[in-house]
Amino acid sequence: MDVTQLDQVEGFADFAFEAFGEVALVVNNAGIGQPRGSIIDVPMEDIRQVMDVNFFGVWNGCKVFGKRLTDQGTPAAIYNTSSENAYFVAVSNSASYVASKHVVHGMTDAFREEVPEFINVGVITPGFVGSEMIPEGFRGMAMAPDEFAAIILPQIRAGEFYVVSHGYNQVRIDDRYQAISDAFTKYAPRQEGDEKYDVRVLLAQMSRN
């Protein structure tokens, strides 16, 4: 199916429920790369295609199966495949791909607050895995798909939100979040009463009033 087409995703959901009676796990995994190039040079149609598949395709899967699994009413899970590129730029000159994976992570974070408690929502963040998306000449340098699957499957079964694999990613992530923390420490340090501007605190107060 073409995940960018909502009606095709709806048709796939019909097929899944007809075939199995119920659905316990959905993995929104479809994704594409982009021809490498700088933001100022990449054609807009290439950027839109990446976002259509990598973001709107995942959105369609969440929209369709989120409703179906809510109506089903039994424990289930939806996992969205993001990337290490959601945390840092792993592949330079691939801005639309990097952006699409940031968006998937943010959407998944928001989506898990919207569904009933019996639906678990999580994000899979692969590193360099030798999937068919990787040019054949480079696949031997990457983690084998079977090895990757063996790492992430127990995490999905355990209902983890962050499903991770490549340990060295921690180095890149720590560097990024240390830089963010340093900026706040220098320019916006915590002060007594600063929660008065926190949106979640304000919304919680409004809901109680």
Side-chain angles (χ1 to χ4, degrees):
M1 66 171 166
D2 182 347
V3 296
T4 70
Q5 302 301 309
L6 184 61
D7 61 337
Q8 292 192 32
V9 180
E10 291 276 11
F12 177 73
D14 290 339
F15 169 80
F17 279 93
E18 289 169 4
F20 299 107
E22 65 177 35
V23 172
L25 173 65
V26 177
V27 179
N28 290 304
N29 187 60
I32 60 173
Q34 69 163 87
R36 294 186 67 191
S38 72
I39 288 175
I40 60 176
D41 293 327
V42 175
M44 287 304 299
E45 55 267 27
D46 290 347
I47 298 168
R48 291 191 175 96
Q49 183 180 27
V50 170
M51 296 302 291
D52 277 347
V53 176
N54 293 4
F55 171 50
F56 288 109
V58 174
W59 184 288
N60 286 340
C62 289
K63 177 180 179 67
V64 170
F65 280 95
K67 176 67 165 62
R68 303 271 185 128
L69 296 182
T70 298
D71 293 343
Q72 181 176 268
T74 56
I78 297 176
Y79 276 86
N80 298 328
T81 300
S82 181
S83 167
E84 63 187 1
N85 285 276
Y87 301 126
F88 55 89
V89 178
V91 181
S92 61
N93 292 317
S94 300
S96 61
Y97 182 82
V98 171
S100 73
K101 295 305 183 178
H102 274 71
V103 175
V104 166
H105 188 280
M107 183 198 71
T108 307
D109 222 2
F111 185 51
R112 68 171 169 163
E113 297 187 358
E114 300 176 3
V115 297
E117 290 186 0
F118 58 82
I119 300 177
N120 186 56
V121 171
V123 60
I124 302 169
T125 55
F128 189 26
V129 177
S131 70
E132 293 180 358
M133 196 168 75
I134 304 299
E136 190 169 358
F138 292 94
R139 291 178 197 170
M141 301 167 59
M143 180 182 286
D146 287 349
E147 180 184 356
F148 173 69
I151 293 171
I152 68 168
L153 185 57
Q155 299 174 63
I156 293 174
R157 286 176 169 161
E160 300 290 352
F161 176 72
Y162 295 105
V163 176
V164 299
S165 54
H166 291 57
Y168 193 79
N169 281 353
Q170 293 182 58
V171 175
R172 310 290 187 194
I173 292 168
D174 288 347
D175 287 346
R176 177 170 193 171
Y177 282 94
Q178 187 61 56
I180 295 171
S181 179
D182 289 347
F184 274 93
T185 299
K186 185 175 182 179
Y187 295 108
R190 289 298 315 274
Q191 300 178 29
E192 184 177 353
D194 59 7
E195 71 277 4
K196 67 181 179 180
Y197 298 120
D198 184 78
V199 172
R200 292 188 75 107
V201 170
L202 291 170
L203 291 174
Q205 291 173 347
M206 292 172 62
S207 68
R208 289 195 297 267
N209 295 336

